[in-house]
């Protein structure tokens, strides 16, 4: 069985979370780096990873590695790579080059050599039947590594969140918070009182029902030459057959704004979990006075912060959220004390470039 050298990109800080998720899918991690993991996987595992991994950003497959101290070496090394065995003839090709601590450091000149060997172009005005693909060429200490992006649009673009508010959490991060905190295996009801586009509860409901994360979208690898479409269809059918029925205990997604609730509902419908979540308009500063409030609440949330809220309102909101029996939050580090809660654990990561912290208490994560 031929194996692929995979590099699984994840948000910095989430490496262990992604490694744990990969272990649950029987994907063997070879090495853990910063912002990524290397793994040796089969073709069917590449498909499985794209369908089910929730916390990873993308997957690259290494197709060549050689030493190159000059353009002659570069060209010779590139010619050894069977690009035509990977990429369809009529495809568009992006080439992303990075260079550090190497004699060859002119990225434009490197790209030119690569394009001359691969003989694929990219005109955004043209519709390529073989899809759009990206080659990553990395020169580091005179070693050239050539990888091909298997994913296409990043994995946090699940396909169902076409409506959102001003500060949505990435789907991959929402999934990571649920997995890292232990909320994803919590037997009872989960509540997000500041749900925005509904991302956290939608991810939670999909996980509880074993719905594949990648079912609402396509991937770059589907157009690769060695991919067997029948194998992919078989995997999709098997994953669909594994989906559990609707949740008996519905999750709760609430927001102060009615228009956000409407967007969250539309997203949940596209994600196939509309019936698994109760959507309500409500003020989270009154969480424990509300009709479904009270002790015993398991809250997973990404509350508003910064310019969107006055400092006093933020403190009042966080204080109320801090009263939940079980709590998993993502928020800036500086605002964690406002919850007035002793957290069991925290984890530093970033949400689309913004430094944030996960914090959890009383879940069995
Ligand atoms: C950071 S956003 C949440 C984003 C969400 N995780 C998503 O993916 O779209 C914070 C949300 O809290 C809501 N919000 C602000 N104050 C609130 C309050 N007092 N009670 C309930 N929701 C509130 C905002 O309307 C906004 O949708």
């Amino acid at each position: 069985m031929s194996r692929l050298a995979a590099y699984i990109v994840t948000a910095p800080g989430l490496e262990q979370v992604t490694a744990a998720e990969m272990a649950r899918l029987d994907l063997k991690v070879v090495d853990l780096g910063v912002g990524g993991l290397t793994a040796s996987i089969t073709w069917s595992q590449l498909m499985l990873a794209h369908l089910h991994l929730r916390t990873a950003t993308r997957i690259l497959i290494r197709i060549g590695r050689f030493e190159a101290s000059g353009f002659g070496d570069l060209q010779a090394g590139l010619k050894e790579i069977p690009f035509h065995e990977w990429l369809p003839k009529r495809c568009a090709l992006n080439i992303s080059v990075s260079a550090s601590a190497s004699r060859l450091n002119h990225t434009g000149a490197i790209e030119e050599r690569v394009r001359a060997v691969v003989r694929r172009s990219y005109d955004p005005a043209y519709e390529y039947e073989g899809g759009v693909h990206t080659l990553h060429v990395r020169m580091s200490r005179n070693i050239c590594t050539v990888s091909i992006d298997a994913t296409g649009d990043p994995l946090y673009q699940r396909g169902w969140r076409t409506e959102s508010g001003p500060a949505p959490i990435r789907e991959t991060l929402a999934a990571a918070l649920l997995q890292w905190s232990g909320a994803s295996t919590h037997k009872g009801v989960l509540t997000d009182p500041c749900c925005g586009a509904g991302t956290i509860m939608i991810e939670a409901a999909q996980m509880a029902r074993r719905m594949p994360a990648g079912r609402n979208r396509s991937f770059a690898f589907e157009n690769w030459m060695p991919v067997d479409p029948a194998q992919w269809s078989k995997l999709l059918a098997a994953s669909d057959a594994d989906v559990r029925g609707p949740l008996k205990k519905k999750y709760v997604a609430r927001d102060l704004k009615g228009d956000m609730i409407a967007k969250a509902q539309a997203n949940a419908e596209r994600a196939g979990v509309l019936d698994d979540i109760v959507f309500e308009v409500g003020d989270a500063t009154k969480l424990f006075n509300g009709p479904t409030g009270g002790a015993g609440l398991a809250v997973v949330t990404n509350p508003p912060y910064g310019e969107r809220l006055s400092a006093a309102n933020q403190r009042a909101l966080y204080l109320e959220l801090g009263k939940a029996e079980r709590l998993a939050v993502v928020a800036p580090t500086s605002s964690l004390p406002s919850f007035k809660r002793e957290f069991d654990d925290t984890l530093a990561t970033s949400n689309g470039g913004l430094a944030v912290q996960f914090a959890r208490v009383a879940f069995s994560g």
Side-chain angles (χ1 to χ4, degrees):
M1 202 180 338
S2 76
R3 297 191 80 85
L4 304 163
Y7 185 72
I8 291 93
V9 180
T10 192
L14 297 189
E15 298 86 356
Q16 295 283 2
V17 182
T18 301
E21 194 183 15
M22 288 175 65
R24 287 193 293 277
L25 291 171
D26 268 337
L27 304 171
K28 201 165 172 283
V29 174
V30 177
D31 191 36
L32 214 77
V34 176
L37 308 89
T38 44
S40 169
I41 58 176
T42 63
W43 278 101
S44 77
Q45 286 175 325
L46 177 74
M47 295 176 181
L48 186 88
H50 276 92
L51 198 52
H52 289 284
L53 267 187
R54 286 189 177 271
T55 64
T57 309
R58 68 172 61 258
I59 301 177
L60 308 177
I61 300 299
R62 196 178 73 213
I63 57 172
R65 175 175 272 174
F66 53 89
E67 202 173 330
S69 305
F71 284 113
D73 298 340
L74 179 67
Q75 260 156 317
L78 289 169
K79 279 183 184 155
E80 293 291 309
I81 300 176
F83 292 105
H84 62 282
E85 289 177 15
W86 289 87
L87 295 167
K89 225 173 181 169
R90 296 179 205 286
C91 78
L93 189 67
N94 283 311
I95 299 174
S96 157
V97 181
S98 66
S100 66
S102 298
R103 285 210 198 132
L104 291 179
N105 57 15
H106 189 308
T107 54
I110 295 172
E111 178 181 341
E112 235 169 64
R113 300 312 194 280
V114 176
R115 213 172 272 288
V117 173
V118 188
R119 280 181 280 123
R120 301 286 198 286
S121 58
Y122 184 24
D123 174 358
Y126 189 79
E127 212 164 286
Y128 292 88
E129 63 189 55
V132 180
H133 299 272
T134 303
L135 273 186
H136 292 267
V137 180
R138 194 164 64 90
M139 284 295 320
S140 176
R141 297 177 195 281
N142 300 320
I143 301 292
C144 179
T145 306
V146 181
S147 304
I148 180 167
D149 171 29
T151 305
D153 291 332
L155 289 172
Y156 52 79
Q157 291 182 16
R158 310 274 203 232
W160 48 258
R161 195 172 75 185
T162 53
E163 300 176 60
S164 63
I169 187 176
R170 284 195 173 161
E171 294 80 342
T172 42
L173 211 68
L177 175 66
L178 286 155
Q179 292 179 12
W180 170 83
S181 63
S184 58
T185 52
H186 179 63
K187 294 278 178 277
V189 170
L190 298 174
T191 299
D192 181 354
C194 301
C195 74
T199 317
I200 297 175
M201 287 305 106
I202 292 172
E203 283 291 316
Q206 282 204 335
M207 276 190 246
R209 294 190 56 190
R210 290 205 204 133
M211 286 180 169
R215 195 63 179 98
N216 296 55
R217 55 163 289 169
S218 58
F219 303 100
F221 77 79
E222 289 177 58
N223 276 312
W224 286 1
M225 300 301 282
V227 167
D228 175 5
Q231 189 183 4
W232 179 229
S233 303
K234 225 169 125 184
L235 178 63
L236 292 178
S239 298
D240 288 347
D242 196 37
V243 171
R244 288 180 176 160
L247 297 184
K248 291 201 175 72
K249 288 182 182 165
K250 314 257 179 250
Y251 293 161
V252 179
R254 233 178 268 147
D255 200 280
L256 195 56
K257 296 185 179 153
D259 61 330
M260 279 319 305
I261 288 298
K263 288 178 184 180
Q265 281 174 310
N267 288 333
E269 183 159 29
R270 278 184 287 273
V273 292
L274 182 61
D275 294 339
D276 299 303
I277 305 169
V278 176
F279 290 92
E280 300 169 345
V281 176
D283 185 350
T285 60
K286 301 189 177 81
L287 186 59
F288 289 90
N289 314 329
T292 43
L297 226 52
V299 166
V300 190
T301 194
N302 160 217
Y305 47 79
E307 288 159 22
R308 270 174 281 276
L309 216 59
S310 77
N313 283 347
Q314 180 169 318
R315 271 198 303 276
L317 175 61
Y318 285 26
L319 190 66
E320 190 71 2
L321 294 172
K323 294 179 193 165
E325 182 176 332
R326 294 183 174 80
L327 180 62
V329 292
V330 51
T333 311
S334 58
S335 57
L336 290 188
S338 304
F339 290 95
K340 299 261 187 281
R341 194 70 189 265
E342 192 81 19
F343 287 108
D344 293 337
D345 202 0
T346 59
L347 179 141
T349 181
S350 72
N351 184 24
L354 181 75
V356 290
Q357 196 98 2
F358 286 176
R360 70 172 184 224
V361 57
F363 280 113
S364 52

